[in-house]
Amino acid sequence: MTTANLLVELFVEELPPKALRKLGEAFAAVLFEQLQAQGLTLAGSTLMSFASPRRLAAHVTEVRERAEDKAVSHKLMPVSVGLDAEGRATPALLKKLQALGADVAAVPSLRRAMDGKVEALFLDAAASGVTLAQGLQKALTEAIVKLPIPKVMTYQLADGWSDVKFVRPAHGLVALHGERVVPVQALGLSAGNTTHGHRFEAAVDPVVLRHADEYAARLAQDGAVIASFEARRAEIVRQLAAAAARVGGGVRAIEDDALLDEVTALVERPNVLICRFDTEFLEVPQECLILTMKANQKYFPLLDTEGKLTNGFLVVSNISPADAGAVIGGNERVVRPRLADAKFFFDQDRRRPLGSRVPGLDRVVYHNKLGSQGRRTQRVRAIAAGIGRQWGGDVLANKAEQAAALAKADLLTDMVGEFPELQGTMGRYYALNDGLGAEVADAIEDHYRPRFAGDALPRNEVGVAVALADKLETLTGLFGIGSLPTGDRDPFALRRHALGVIRMLVERDLPLRLADLLELALAVLHEDLAAQAKGGDAAASQAGESLKALDSGKVAEALSDFIYDRLGGLLREQGFSSKEVDAVVSLRPQRLGEVPQRLAAVREFALLPEAPALAAANKRIANILKKALDVDAHVSELLLREPAERALHAATGPIAARAGAQFDAGDYAGSLQTLAALRGPVDDFFDGVMVNAEEMDLRLNRLGLLATLHAAMNRVADLSKLAS
């Protein structure tokens, strides 16, 4: 059966740039999957996707003209229903055969086979393979239906009556199997072998495709289009590097994958040009200039060897005129008012001290059940001071309180009003302008960190204290009013806040207990809601309702579960096994900074030859104690009758004392290794002692011995979780 390579292209109006890459990949992938499912591809068939601002396309190698026939077996009905006593076909069987395109002549060839406990009739036949036209039509329809379209457009077809829905109006369809056009249709279009190139620079229009394999080359030659998204992206990267090299001085274009993808989706044949702006604008914080150039103009700012912004930037143009002066001049004129706006906002904002904006936060709503941003700032301020006091005394507490009081003030500046992405960043600049010092200024910027997975933590202790306070206030406040994340929704990013708390406590190894932090934050929330409720307005009434609904004990328990659950997930992502994570996290260690050392100790312990037996014994002990309910961890030596229980008691005391001392010193691995010496006495105990003795005093004493042993052995981790 002959094969040839297949090309399918949808030619459309300009596609949404931020979605183009996904649209191209999805279109090609679904098309390929559907062709595979219908048996139209070979085992060695390969797929290549194309996506440019005005096209989605796929090239598939070794595609059959027709799929191979398949042997199929149709289960008909039980023999007792399909055949009468003389073996003749019943009306029910004849009707079933007719539905399958057969008749009474097929009855002698029907196959009998057991179907469970009943003998049934089966019709063996061959199903004709689909033709490429049939299969591609189905595949193309599926590919269009399953596109991850951000927003659908409805537009009218050429007949003036019909309309279709698609991401953008489609104007052309190509379907070539080798040199042959495959007669398929989509979006009111019939397939052909012509497409269109660059709007202004195509050598010919339309571009005629004589073979599926010449698509990319023909478009590049006749259409002035680089059809492949990846090839176009790579060309932009190459040109950016070359242009930066021409500027000299070791400058480089800023690295931003999202910007690079977006620009790749905006041009069909990139041409990178070097532009400049007036050096006077470099007095403005570079974050402002970089953001306005990237977000508004899609430019690539140039940085020097130290990462500082220069007055040069690169433009990725979609045209390549012989004289690019007009394009360069136009872009330089366009960027000037943008930069002038940024300079104006910066100059205006600096006329007022940052602290003078804090009262205005009382007029900004944070949450109708929790009050304004001003009230939230007061809560963060109190929590930050409490954390600072627990961690570093009054000096840290005072600095953390000062930074927390100003942390949200830049929300009311002109610059942040124009560029919300700069919140925190501008607060730092304005704090430095006010002479507040680097420690407080850095904390104002850093209190949002970590914003995402892999983001840096705050750079100093003041920043960590304020960042912890900010996230704890969010968690306790929203949990306190019952606004919890669900399986697929987390509008307040509470999971991200919890992970931020975990990362700071773990990676900075902070000497802070989680329970104490939650207690502090909840106490501040309770006190603030009580203060708000004393007013006589609607906000006070709402605060009173929130206060009545606040059950600090239940909130602390729910938040603790939430945080430890996030901790477990984070540790598993880092490569620790579920058993290792469960062994440590199930104990709910209050100092999360100890968790990595505990995990390392558990991993080291698991390699000991005694580990499996001790883990199994711990699991057995845990089950015994669970059934016994409340057991006093007390042992009377007078009631130790069996040699094995006396030996276990004698060994537990000194070994537990030595392991406990190592635990208290933070030597978790050494503590577990010391406990490994108990394997022999524990094995002998279970071999020679009946725990549930008939005499109650003996039974309680033996349970007390096991409770003592269990407490001693499971301080670092719950070893029973390691049992297979």
Side-chain angles (χ1 to χ4, degrees):
M1 197 169 288
T2 58
T3 65
N5 296 342
L6 174 71
L7 170 74
V8 179
E9 183 207 62
L10 266 176
F11 182 78
V12 298
E13 293 182 14
E14 278 75 2
L15 293 159
K18 291 184 178 179
L20 179 63
R21 191 175 199 167
K22 287 185 178 179
L23 289 172
E25 291 171 352
F27 177 77
V30 174
L31 194 78
F32 187 63
E33 289 167 5
Q34 289 294 317
L35 293 173
Q36 276 184 321
Q38 296 176 85
L40 288 166
T41 59
L42 302 183
S45 296
T46 59
L47 169 70
M48 185 172 184
S49 66
F50 299 91
S52 82
R54 298 198 294 160
R55 73 199 73 240
L56 301 173
H59 181 270
V60 184
T61 63
E62 297 185 283
V63 178
R64 291 186 170 105
E65 289 183 353
R66 185 187 189 95
E68 294 179 340
D69 293 347
K70 290 183 179 180
V72 294
S73 180
H74 300 285
K75 177 186 169 185
L76 302 175
M77 59 190 63
V79 172
S80 58
V81 177
L83 301 176
D84 60 20
E86 285 74 31
R88 293 188 297 267
T90 63
L93 178 59
L94 294 175
K95 185 176 181 181
K96 182 70 173 178
L97 289 171
Q98 185 179 9
L100 293 172
D103 55 25
V104 68
V107 174
S109 61
L110 295 181
R111 177 169 54 88
R112 296 188 181 198
M114 295 303 296
D115 181 36
K117 296 182 180 180
V118 178
E119 188 179 27
L121 295 170
F122 293 83
L123 174 64
D124 295 327
S128 298
V130 297
T131 64
L132 177 57
Q134 294 169 331
L136 181 57
Q137 184 65 65
K138 182 177 185 299
L140 183 57
T141 301
E142 283 291 305
I144 291 172
V145 168
K146 292 184 178 179
L147 274 181
I149 297 174
K151 191 174 182 180
V152 174
M153 286 183 64
T154 301
Y155 61 94
Q156 201 169 57
L157 296 179
D159 62 12
W161 296 97
S162 309
D163 58 41
V164 295
K165 293 181 178 181
F166 194 52
V167 58
R168 292 291 186 270
H171 297 296
L173 175 63
V174 173
L176 281 176
H177 188 230
E179 298 177 345
R180 181 177 66 86
V181 173
V182 184
V184 293
Q185 296 181 328
L187 304 173
L189 303 167
S190 296
N193 68 339
T194 61
T195 185
H196 302 276
H198 195 287
R199 281 191 184 276
F200 313 113
E201 299 190 351
V204 297
D205 187 64
V207 176
V208 178
L209 302 171
R210 296 180 177 83
H211 194 283
D213 293 346
E214 71 170 13
Y215 178 68
R218 181 64 59 189
L219 265 179
Q221 178 181 318
D222 293 346
V225 170
I226 301 176
S228 165
F229 187 97
E230 297 303 328
R232 205 163 58 255
R233 190 179 193 272
E235 175 61 15
I236 293 173
V237 171
R238 186 194 68 77
Q239 289 192 36
L240 289 173
R246 290 198 301 275
V247 173
V251 300
R252 58 180 175 82
I254 197 166
E255 295 179 6
D256 188 321
D257 285 341
L259 175 62
L260 184 56
D261 283 349
E262 189 172 0
V263 170
T264 303
L266 287 168
V267 298
E268 293 186 307
R269 187 172 67 171
N271 178 32
V272 173
L273 304 172
I274 302 169
C275 303
R276 298 188 183 277
F277 59 83
D278 294 341
T279 55
E280 64 175 299
F281 293 119
L282 292 176
E283 298 173 6
V284 180
Q286 69 177 43
E287 292 91 343
C288 309
L289 305 181
I290 289 171
L291 182 60
T292 191
M293 283 192 282
K294 290 196 318 183
N296 295 321
Q297 305 304 133
K298 314 306 176 190
Y299 296 157
F300 288 84
L302 289 172
L303 309 178
D304 65 17
T305 54
E306 296 180 355
K308 293 182 179 179
L309 182 67
T310 71
N311 71 320
F313 62 95
L314 303 180
V315 176
V316 183
S317 174
N318 194 37
I319 56 176
S320 303
D323 180 7
V327 179
I328 293 172
N331 280 283
E332 291 177 343
R333 284 193 301 274
V334 166
V335 80
R336 181 179 177 82
R338 293 284 188 180
L339 302 184
D341 285 346
K343 187 175 187 303
F344 174 78
F345 293 144
F346 184 57
D347 291 340
Q348 287 294 106
D349 287 340
R350 286 185 296 170
R351 293 182 177 182
R352 288 180 57 188
L354 195 58
S356 69
R357 301 179 187 274
V358 173
L361 293 172
D362 289 331
R363 298 188 295 274
V364 180
V365 175
Y366 167 58
H367 194 289
N368 66 325
K369 293 184 178 181
L370 294 170
S372 66
Q373 275 285 5
R375 299 304 309 190
R376 178 170 187 253
T377 295
Q378 291 300 318
R379 293 194 294 271
V380 174
R381 182 177 175 179
I383 298 168
I387 291 172
R389 198 164 290 111
Q390 290 181 27
W391 182 10
D394 290 340
V395 173
L396 180 56
N398 292 337
K399 289 182 178 179
E401 186 175 9
Q402 182 185 17
L406 298 171
K408 304 296 181 185
D410 69 348
L411 295 176
L412 300 180
T413 62
D414 292 338
M415 187 69 84
V416 174
E418 182 71 14
F419 301 111
E421 301 93 333
L422 293 176
Q423 56 188 282
T425 299
M426 297 315 303
R428 175 179 177 274
Y429 280 107
Y430 298 144
L432 290 173
N433 184 70
D434 295 343
L436 296 180
E439 204 170 15
V440 170
D442 289 346
I444 291 173
E445 179 177 22
D446 291 353
H447 86 279
Y448 290 104
R449 296 181 178 176
R451 302 175 187 86
F452 50 84
D455 190 20
L457 298 183
R459 70 196 89 176
N460 61 44
E461 292 183 350
V462 180
V464 171
V466 180
L468 270 175
D470 185 69
K471 290 167 176 57
L472 287 168
E473 189 283 331
T474 301
L475 289 165
T476 53
L478 292 166
F479 266 69
I481 60 173
S483 186
L484 279 62
T486 60
D488 59 345
R489 294 191 70 251
D490 187 8
F492 297 102
L494 298 185
R495 294 185 179 93
R496 178 167 57 81
H497 285 298
L499 287 171
V501 170
I502 290 167
R503 282 193 58 201
M504 284 184 279
L505 292 175
V506 171
E507 294 177 28
R508 297 296 293 264
D509 192 14
L510 301 186
L512 302 170
R513 299 178 73 256
L514 181 60
D516 293 342
L517 293 175
L518 296 180
E519 182 181 355
L520 168 64
L522 284 165
V524 168
L525 175 63
H526 189 281
E527 183 179 349
D528 181 67
L529 289 175
Q532 289 188 59
K534 291 179 180 178
D537 56 6
S541 176
Q542 182 62 72
E545 292 299 317
S546 297
L547 182 62
K548 288 179 185 178
L550 178 62
D551 186 329
S552 296
K554 288 185 178 179
V555 172
E557 183 179 356
L559 250 179
S560 183
D561 290 343
F562 184 71
I563 290 172
Y564 282 113
D565 186 51
R566 303 277 82 72
L567 173 62
L570 179 64
L571 294 172
R572 282 187 282 271
E573 288 176 5
Q574 293 174 353
F576 292 99
S577 70
S578 294
K579 286 184 178 180
E580 292 168 341
V581 172
D582 291 345
V584 173
V585 175
S586 64
L587 292 186
R588 303 293 182 94
Q590 287 300 304
R591 279 195 55 183
L592 300 191
E594 298 175 349
V595 169
Q597 292 85 1
R598 292 193 185 209
L599 280 166
V602 167
R603 182 166 282 182
E604 193 173 330
F605 170 78
L607 299 175
L608 298 176
E610 299 90 348
L614 282 174
N618 262 279
K619 187 173 183 179
R620 184 174 179 182
I621 292 170
N623 290 334
I624 292 171
L625 295 177
K626 188 185 295 183
K627 292 177 182 177
L629 299 178
D630 294 330
V631 176
D632 184 12
H634 173 75
V635 180
S636 170
E637 294 187 8
L638 297 176
L639 293 173
L640 296 173
R641 296 186 179 177
E642 300 293 336
E645 62 183 327
R646 287 198 295 271
L648 178 59
H649 178 64
T652 300
I655 290 175
R658 189 160 63 253
Q662 291 169 312
F663 176 86
D664 293 336
D667 183 7
Y668 302 126
S671 179
L672 287 178
Q673 288 172 7
T674 296
L675 290 168
L678 287 172
R679 177 191 172 175
V682 169
D683 288 346
D684 292 342
F685 176 84
F686 282 117
D687 288 342
V689 178
M690 174 68 71
V691 176
N692 291 320
E694 292 185 6
E695 297 176 52
M696 183 58 68
D697 55 349
L698 288 181
R699 181 190 305 176
L700 292 176
N701 200 58
R702 289 168 181 172
L703 289 172
L705 176 59
L706 292 181
T708 303
L709 178 66
H710 190 265
M713 294 190 69
N714 293 280
R715 295 184 69 187
V716 175
D718 184 350
L719 300 183
S720 68
K721 302 292 185 182
L722 300 177
S724 55

